[in-house]
Amino acid sequence: MAYAELIEEAKKLSEDNIPEVIDFIRFLNSKQDNKKERQSNLLRGKLKYMADDFDETPDCFKEYM
């Protein structure tokens, strides 16, 4: 249903606006592709050490908290 609505709305546009819509669709697709890459766990199993205080706020930043 969403695709049909997209097509109907696109038909109402002038020819001059079509390239802008295509660019926006490509932008959304690239955002989606980047999200997939981040979730691919490329570094899984590579972490060798994590400090015990990793989650603690460093002293130099405590005044901003």
Side-chain angles (χ1 to χ4, degrees):
M1 179 147 172
Y3 290 113
E5 185 177 355
L6 176 63
I7 298 300
E8 288 305 312
E9 291 298 322
K11 288 178 182 178
K12 297 176 190 175
L13 291 172
S14 69
E15 287 288 323
D16 295 339
N17 290 329
I18 297 295
E20 190 173 343
V21 172
I22 292 170
D23 285 343
F24 185 66
I25 290 171
R26 287 178 179 159
F27 165 73
L28 292 176
N29 284 330
S30 71
K31 246 174 71 170
Q32 188 173 350
D33 291 343
N34 288 340
K35 188 181 240 184
K36 288 177 187 175
E37 287 177 21
R38 287 193 302 264
Q39 295 174 352
S40 65
N41 296 318
L42 293 174
L43 298 178
R44 176 175 275 172
K46 304 257 186 209
L47 182 64
K48 303 293 183 198
Y49 170 77
M50 185 177 292
D52 293 332
D53 63 348
F54 178 79
D55 288 329
E56 293 180 20
T57 304
D59 292 334
C60 60
F61 288 108
K62 286 186 178 180
E63 66 183 87
Y64 299 105
M65 303 294 285

